[in-house]
Amino acid sequence: MKTESLIEARWAELMQDASPAAKQLLARLSERHAREFAATFYEEMLQDPDARGFLSSEGIVERLTESLRRWIDDILVSWEPSAVPRLIASQRRLGAVHARIGVPLELVMRGTRLLKQTIIGALLGNTANTDHLEAAKIAIEMVDMAVEIAAHQYTASCEVEARTEEAYRNYASSVNMAVERERQRAALFSWENELLHALMAGAPGAALPLISQSGFGLWLRHKAGSIFPLDGEFCEVAQATERIDANLELLRSGEAPYVGSEGARRLVDPVLSETRRIHEVIETLFERQVSLESGRDALTHLLSRRFESTVLCREIEISRNTGKPFAVLLLDVDHFKSVNDTYGHEAGDHVLQRVAGVFSDNVRSGDFVFRHGGEEFLILCVELTAEDAVAVADKIRAAVEAEPIAISQTVSLSVTVSIGVAAYDGHPDYQRLISRADRALYEAKHGGRNKCALAA
């Protein structure tokens, strides 16, 4: 973020320092040539076999050409310093999309070089062919080529590092989770008992054991990060251990009243409360990890959402190489909240399990069924056209509607699903495909539910 702050400051400074003549020249350049620049850019990029893989569809090139035209216009025409945060955010989103699609960094640098060559050529023309302008053009291109080569090596090195890290994570996660859970549960209890024994015995403050120095603390600091995602719950445990030790350090230092006083109890009670919370979160993390080891959602036993990006990216690559179509179905259980509110969450869980079974029973062995989140599911139908995918969606919709779901000995429910269908259209970004299916799902739900809708 420090680098971005420096770029933001320099960008604003450049806007302020640019002469009115330069601003006018660049604005006029964008107005007259932005579309031409974008078209030339993609014409040249299509000559590159590596780039062609990401631009295989004519429709994709047309859409990206228009996007690049808007990007050029944004860069060359925005001159208010207040616009810089928006421009920075836009570039950040662009980088995220490139990463999601898997565009190699050297292709981005090559494209940047081509674009700058085109802009410089339009600015210099045939009338400003002085030595120093030519030297500037050559220097910029040589620097860009050098950076492009460095970027290529950067990508290769990152891939090696990523493979090494993934191999280590696979090794770390191959640990028997049930055994590891018992080991760390015992280590945490051991530290807790040691602490309580010291408190009850009235031991000197310096004898109170810190959780960070316990077996559990060492495992958390050095190994747990290779097993669990470094997200909110993991951070919650780490922060809880820091707060525990902060309170214990006060008791160890003698700066706070010790055992038997009200002040000491006010320090000890939060320690015990934090410890209980650590027990709860660690149990949750291990439970989740056990279910993820098989790549399955713990409730429905469908594929976990975390594999959606990997599978979709692979199917996009297969489609790009073979021309085989595929489609995504996004499904939502209608009025699911009312099921939970009326019959309870246990009944809601049972509904999701039964619906998931219907989905699995009505797809082919080559298709993928994911628990997308909550009461939403995603089905990837391989080698199907849009029309065939709609037919599959309607078959699934009818099968769910016809399936009675017993939630007790006396009560059975009949639930329905709404389905949005999106056929792969050649766009390299899988998130765009999901977004199209989501918009189609919105149409199906707002069209009366228990319907299928095909994305445009």
Side-chain angles (χ1 to χ4, degrees):
M1 288 302 177
K2 183 178 180 181
T3 300
E4 281 193 6
S5 297
L6 292 173
I7 293 174
E8 184 173 340
R10 175 56 187 155
W11 205 328
E13 181 183 356
L14 197 63
M15 288 177 168
Q16 291 175 327
D17 292 347
S19 67
K23 293 177 182 179
Q24 185 178 12
L25 179 61
L26 290 172
R28 189 163 58 244
L29 182 74
S30 178
E31 180 182 358
R32 294 178 179 176
H33 300 291
R35 191 176 301 277
E36 173 191 336
F37 290 166
T40 301
F41 172 84
Y42 282 112
E43 283 175 10
E44 295 203 38
M45 290 297 281
L46 280 169
Q47 304 307 310
D48 187 306
D50 293 332
R52 195 161 53 240
F54 297 93
L55 305 169
S56 55
S57 165
E58 184 176 342
I60 295 299
V61 172
E62 289 177 1
R63 284 196 294 273
L64 292 179
T65 298
E66 179 58 24
S67 296
L68 181 58
R69 185 202 64 75
R70 289 195 302 269
W71 182 83
I72 294 170
D73 191 63
D74 215 16
I75 296 296
L76 299 183
V77 177
S78 299
W79 291 103
E80 286 297 325
S82 60
V84 172
R86 176 183 62 80
L87 293 170
I88 293 287
S90 177
Q91 309 320 304
R92 193 184 297 121
R93 286 193 299 273
L94 186 64
V97 170
H98 280 157
R100 189 163 65 233
I101 296 171
V103 178
L105 186 57
E106 65 268 20
L107 279 184
V108 177
M109 301 306 297
R110 189 176 307 161
T112 304
R113 174 165 60 86
L114 291 173
L115 184 59
K116 285 196 284 189
Q117 282 180 269
T118 306
I119 292 174
I120 290 172
L123 283 172
L124 298 185
N126 297 319
T127 58
N129 200 17
T130 60
D131 290 343
H132 70 278
L133 288 178
E134 181 183 1
K137 180 180 178 181
I138 293 171
I140 289 173
E141 185 172 354
M142 291 178 70
V143 168
D144 284 343
M145 287 189 292
V147 172
E148 186 178 320
I149 294 170
H152 179 72
Q153 183 57 49
Y154 168 83
T155 300
S157 299
C158 284
E159 288 175 354
V160 171
E161 184 64 28
R163 284 195 296 270
T164 302
E165 182 176 348
E166 182 63 22
Y168 174 69
R169 284 189 174 275
N170 288 338
Y171 160 75
S173 63
S174 69
V175 173
N176 187 311
M177 286 295 116
V179 173
E180 189 66 22
R181 174 169 54 187
E182 290 305 316
R183 182 183 293 123
Q184 297 315 316
R185 182 187 287 165
L188 189 54
F189 273 122
S190 176
W191 167 80
E192 191 174 11
N193 288 335
E194 186 182 353
L195 173 65
L196 291 174
H197 178 76
L199 290 170
M200 292 175 65
L208 296 179
L210 298 178
I211 191 171
S212 61
Q213 295 174 1
S214 69
F216 173 81
L218 294 173
W219 170 82
L220 182 71
R221 193 158 56 250
H222 294 281
K223 286 189 174 180
S226 299
I227 300 174
F228 303 125
L230 302 179
D231 57 12
E233 288 176 317
F234 182 88
C235 292
E236 182 183 350
V237 173
Q239 291 164 2
T241 61
E242 292 174 2
R243 290 192 294 268
I244 286 172
D245 278 358
N247 280 317
L248 292 179
E249 286 286 9
L250 283 175
L251 292 171
R252 284 161 60 101
S253 68
E255 295 178 8
Y258 190 47
V259 178
S261 72
E262 185 62 30
R265 280 193 290 274
R266 282 199 297 269
L267 290 174
V268 172
D269 286 347
V271 168
L272 300 180
S273 176
E274 297 277 15
T275 303
R276 285 192 295 273
R277 180 57 182 158
I278 289 175
H279 276 291
E280 294 171 0
V281 176
I282 286 294
E283 286 294 320
T284 299
L285 287 173
F286 270 112
E287 282 292 338
R288 189 176 302 147
Q289 191 63 28
V290 168
S291 68
L292 288 178
E293 279 184 333
S294 64
R296 299 285 174 180
D297 172 65
L299 177 66
T300 64
H301 301 294
L302 299 177
L303 287 171
S304 168
R305 179 176 182 168
R306 70 180 182 134
F307 293 125
E308 283 182 4
S309 60
T310 300
V311 174
L312 283 165
C313 285
R314 188 182 63 184
E315 289 302 319
I316 286 174
E317 183 177 1
I318 291 173
S319 180
R320 200 160 53 207
N321 293 335
T322 66
K324 299 286 188 182
F326 72 91
V328 161
L329 279 55
L330 198 60
L331 310 92
D332 184 90
V333 180
D334 296 325
H335 303 297
F336 182 72
K337 184 177 183 300
S338 66
V339 174
N340 276 335
D341 292 344
T342 304
Y343 302 102
H345 289 280
E346 186 175 345
D349 287 348
H350 184 61
V351 167
L352 294 179
Q353 289 171 332
R354 290 296 299 275
V355 167
V358 174
F359 296 158
S360 297
D361 290 342
N362 285 275
V363 298
R364 301 161 300 165
S365 59
D367 298 330
F368 300 85
V369 187
F370 301 88
R371 171 92 180 274
H372 190 62
E375 66 271 24
E376 281 195 343
F377 300 84
L378 186 145
I379 300 177
L380 192 156
C381 298
V382 302
E383 299 191 17
L384 283 188
T385 63
E387 294 75 15
D388 291 335
V390 171
V392 170
D394 198 56
K395 173 187 172 186
I396 292 172
R397 180 203 60 76
V400 172
E401 185 180 20
E403 178 79 8
I405 301 176
I407 59 173
S408 72
Q409 291 183 344
T410 58
V411 179
S412 290
L413 297 179
S414 177
V415 300
T416 61
V417 293
S418 299
I419 308 177
V421 182
Y424 177 58
D425 63 357
H427 198 287
D429 187 359
Y430 69 85
Q431 190 58 57
R432 183 177 181 276
L433 182 62
I434 295 176
S435 296
R436 289 174 54 229
D438 188 54
R439 288 194 293 272
L441 173 61
Y442 179 87
E443 291 178 16
K445 294 188 81 68
H446 284 262
R449 292 186 171 83
N450 193 23
K451 294 182 181 296
C452 305
L454 176 63

